[in-house]
Amino acid sequence: MPSETLQGIVLRVANYREHDRMLTLLTPDRGRVDVLSRGCRRPKSCLMCASESFVQGEFVVFRSQDRYTLTSCSIGEAFYPVRLDAYRMTCGAYMLQLSQAAAQTGQEAETLYGLLTESLRRLCYHETENPLMTVNAFLLLFAADNGYRPRLNHCVHCQKEIAPTQGAGFDIAEGGICCRACAQGALMRLTAGQLNWMRAVLKNGFDVPPVPEDKTLFEVLRRYVESRLETTIKSSKFLP
């Protein structure tokens, strides 16, 4: 059985048999990879620390056909501070679960891997930053990476340009904003400030000033992304 080294982040762990765990890794070059960590639940196992959610590092595995077994791991980042705050941990778990839902086995996921790594670092080390704003930015950039970047400059129905001083409705089915004339009562509303923040994030990434009403923004983005994934992420019920 040849030995291989996989760079990855542990998205999910599941106890298996008496002392083992199955790990789901996100890797930049192979997407989602399932790895068996044998004996990691034994008190003196050298694999115990590596067999936890959030851990990022280089995982040395043996491969037999399409099955991987973990033999060692060089941990690069455990994202330990996330575990010390229940709310930040919930935010992190939500992003892990989104990544697991999007990643495909055997398909490159370099952009998603980088996005998740940066988002977890911000949750850990940007203590003055609202963690929900990090999740909102992740959702926006996640949508763009997966091919459903929301349309935020023109009405998705009549193509009228929405000025920076105007708010708009958000049509989840159509994937973008609606002017007042086209918006229906059931559509969720976004303020001008929220729209400008979303545009700035898509252009510049995380380093943009926060906006108020981040809970409303989260609900819009959550519904949009989960509708495109055709799934409901369980940890979202604990947010915002």
Side-chain angles (χ1 to χ4, degrees), residues 132 134 201-202 213:
L132 191 61
T134 298
V201 168
L202 288 174
E213 300 177 338

Side-chain angles (χ1 to χ4, degrees), residues 73-90:
C73 177
S74 175
I75 297 176
E77 176 62 78
F79 298 110
Y80 185 73
V82 168
R83 309 164 196 268
L84 302 179
D85 182 280
Y87 188 72
R88 288 179 184 271
M89 188 170 181
T90 303

